[in-house]
Amino acid sequence: MALYSETVMDHFRNPRNVGVIEDADGVGEVGNAKCGDIMTMYLKIDGDTIADVKFETFGCGSAIASSSMATELIKGKPVSEALQLTNKAVAEALDGLPAHKLHCSVLAEEAIKAALKDYYDKHGIEYDHSLFPDCAHCEGCE
Ligand code: FES
């Protein structure tokens, strides 16, 4: 069996929503200390909808595919749905990732959450702080 699914290869070769949103409402940058990969998500939020999302990822192919898929999964969706996006959902939508590459999808979940937190912080919106655990050092991300 091939190591990477067709979907992973497709999103790696033709990543969707690559770039920067200059006047983003929320920006989230996360990195994985072990592999050194860095992912930045930019969100444009209109009312309660993710009107636009773009990403820049300096990292492995799985990280690029994960960011691309994550943007597709939240674009046009309500903020509340984007908040619930899990790395598992990203990996499933990619038709799976090899076990040692699952942390790449964790980076995508974290980058979106960081961007949403930034949006809340910048706009003075109250939120449940438990939605954004400081998980940078948990085993799941390593
Ligand atoms: Fe680090 Fe993929 S190897 S994010």
Side-chain angles (χ1 to χ4, degrees):
M1 201 188 102
L3 188 56
Y4 295 107
S5 72
E6 278 299 315
T7 315
V8 171
M9 292 311 293
D10 177 35
H11 278 262
F12 168 56
R13 291 200 183 105
N14 307 294
R16 299 9 168 217
N17 307 308
V18 176
V20 175
I21 300 177
E22 295 295 347
D23 57 344
D25 295 309
V27 180
E29 183 177 289
V30 293
N32 181 296
K34 274 199 179 159
C35 63
D37 293 352
I38 297 173
M39 192 182 287
T40 311
M41 285 278 171
Y42 302 87
L43 299 177
K44 195 79 200 147
I45 295 176
D46 184 10
D48 185 41
T49 303
I50 310 286
D52 200 8
V53 47
K54 291 206 185 302
F55 78 90
E56 284 182 311
T57 292
F58 301 95
C60 72
S62 299
I64 291 167
S66 294
S67 351
S68 170
M69 182 55 87
T71 59
E72 290 276 274
L73 289 173
I74 65 164
K75 200 170 180 175
K77 299 277 167 58
V79 169
S80 56
E81 247 180 72
L83 265 173
Q84 279 166 20
L85 183 77
T86 60
N87 80 296
K88 199 164 171 270
V90 173
E92 276 174 15
L94 286 170
D95 294 325
L97 280 170
H100 70 288
K101 285 288 174 182
L102 279 175
H103 78 269
C104 314
S105 59
V106 171
L107 217 51
E109 176 189 332
E110 284 186 345
I112 286 175
K113 293 223 168 110
L116 287 168
K117 183 175 182 301
D118 182 53
Y119 163 68
Y120 286 147
D121 287 340
K122 274 190 188 143
H123 294 78
I125 300 169
E126 288 293 324
Y127 58 89
D128 175 358
H129 287 251
S130 69
L131 287 171
F132 304 102
D134 180 12
C135 66
H137 304 294
C138 80
E139 280 175 22
C141 304
E142 289 176 356

